[in-house]
Amino acid sequence: MPVVTIKLAGTLTREQKKKVAEEVTATLERHAGKPASYTYIAFEELPDENWAIAGKLLDEE
Amino acid sequence: MPVVTIKLAGTLTREQKKKVAEEVTATLERHAGKPASYTYIAFEELPDENWAIAGKLLDEE
Amino acid sequence: MPVVTIKLAGTLTREQKKKVAEEVTATLERHAGKPASYTYIAFEELPDENWAIAGKLLDEE
Amino acid sequence: MPVVTIKLAGTLTREQKKKVAEEVTATLERHAGKPASYTYIAFEELPDENWAIAGKLLDEE
Amino acid sequence: MPVVTIKLAGTLTREQKKKVAEEVTATLERHAGKPASYTYIAFEELPDENWAIAGKLLDEE
Amino acid sequence: MPVVTIKLAGTLTREQKKKVAEEVTATLERHAGKPASYTYIAFEELPDENWAIAGKLLDEE
């Protein structure tokens, strides 16, 4: 039942998402005892213009 | 004041969203006593490549 | 794979959550073709002091 | 460490996001004592068709 | 219709939330043209143990 | 800038969160090229009564 949301700037390739999903799911199984079959992962990719750190949009930096 | 977020793989048609929004709002009014006028619903549609279950991207299954 | 998050002010009774969960899951199956077994619902209950509408905390209204 | 998510209907211009990010970050520094360098802001822009109030999609209103 | 979620480590006082809610709502009205009456803000306060930066829980730092 | 939210039923021990945070941060650095110092992780622990799968609250199962 863990639902993991990974929100990030820019995009990942399909291969990167695949690797990240595999490892995060394995981590939750190994250390938190959550069966892999219950783990959902959602990748939310936002353009740099839609993120700010320290009050500045990422694309200004 | 309920804010309902429905995150799903793929897309829904406008008609599907309309039906879902009507019913979910009515459900919250009927069973949780939340006036319809305060209920916000947001549909977040993500491509299959951005979802994983059991460590596999949906588009691998 | 729908993940539904229902964020609200105050608390619901267990019975209210049960009814809401049943109906929202059924709605997504009926109108959006999502098998019930894939639907996750999370209730996030926040105190009135942690919500604002129109710039005022709910507990000031 | 505040993570601020601003989910809205329609889109903002880059200039609007810049202004909002600056002010929200300053507000959290001034009133909540959160150093600007730790504040992340994400703008999530959804089409009107993906939002409902009072059980009606925004684009029906 | 903006829904603003402010997720942070630790807690804010009621007075801090009130000030933050007022200003964030005013910012969205002034710069993004969103009427105050449609703006919802939710404060999600998590203990330091439930946040990590750079792979370390906040309470280890 | 990745913000990872891990929402789950029940609670994790501090030690479990520490391990999960370390590994998820390392995974994002290794496979997605995200510097550890930018990765935020938030653990959201909800009681079983606040989660449903397949229309049933977890505590009914």
Side-chain angles (χ1 to χ4, degrees), chain B residues 14 17-18 22 25 36 39-45, chain D residues 7 44 46 49-55 57 59-60:
Chain B
R14 196 183 165 292
K17 292 175 201 167
K18 187 166 138 58
E22 279 168 13
T25 304
T39 296
Y40 279 18
I41 298 182
F43 291 94
E44 300 185 0
E45 298 164 305
Chain D
K7 198 174 299 200
E44 300 186 359
L46 294 174
E49 184 186 306
N50 285 33
W51 275 98
I53 300 186
L57 300 184
D59 69 355
E60 325 180 45

Side-chain angles (χ1 to χ4, degrees), chain C residues 2 6 8 11 13-14 17 24-26 29-30 34 36-41 43 46-47 53-56 58-59 61:
Chain C
I6 301 177
L8 42 75
T11 54
T13 63
R14 195 183 166 293
K17 292 175 202 168
V24 170
T25 304
E29 187 155 45
R30 190 163 47 239
K34 302 294 181 184
S37 59
Y38 284 108
T39 297
Y40 280 17
I41 298 182
F43 292 93
L46 294 172
I53 300 188
K56 303 183 68 162
L58 285 199
D59 68 357
E61 291 184 319

Side-chain angles (χ1 to χ4, degrees), chain E:
Chain E
M1 192 132 337
V3 175
V4 179
T5 309
I6 301 177
K7 198 174 300 199
L8 41 76
T11 53
L12 298 181
T13 64
R14 195 183 166 292
E15 194 57 26
Q16 287 178 310
K17 291 175 202 168
K18 186 166 139 59
K19 287 283 180 46
V20 170
E22 277 167 14
E23 286 194 13
V24 170
T25 304
T27 289
L28 286 168
E29 186 155 45
R30 191 165 46 241
H31 295 300
K34 302 295 181 183
S37 58
Y38 284 109
T39 297
Y40 280 18
I41 299 183
F43 292 93
E44 300 186 0
E45 298 164 305
L46 294 173
D48 281 7
E49 183 186 306
N50 285 33
W51 274 98
I53 300 187
K56 301 183 69 161
L57 300 184
L58 285 198
D59 69 356
E60 324 179 47
E61 291 184 318

Side-chain angles (χ1 to χ4, degrees), chain A residues 14 17 36 41 43-45, chain B residues 7 49-50 52 54 59-60:
Chain A
R14 195 184 165 291
K17 292 175 201 166
I41 298 182
F43 292 92
E44 300 186 0
E45 297 163 305
Chain B
K7 198 174 300 200
E49 184 187 304
N50 285 33
D59 68 356
E60 320 179 50

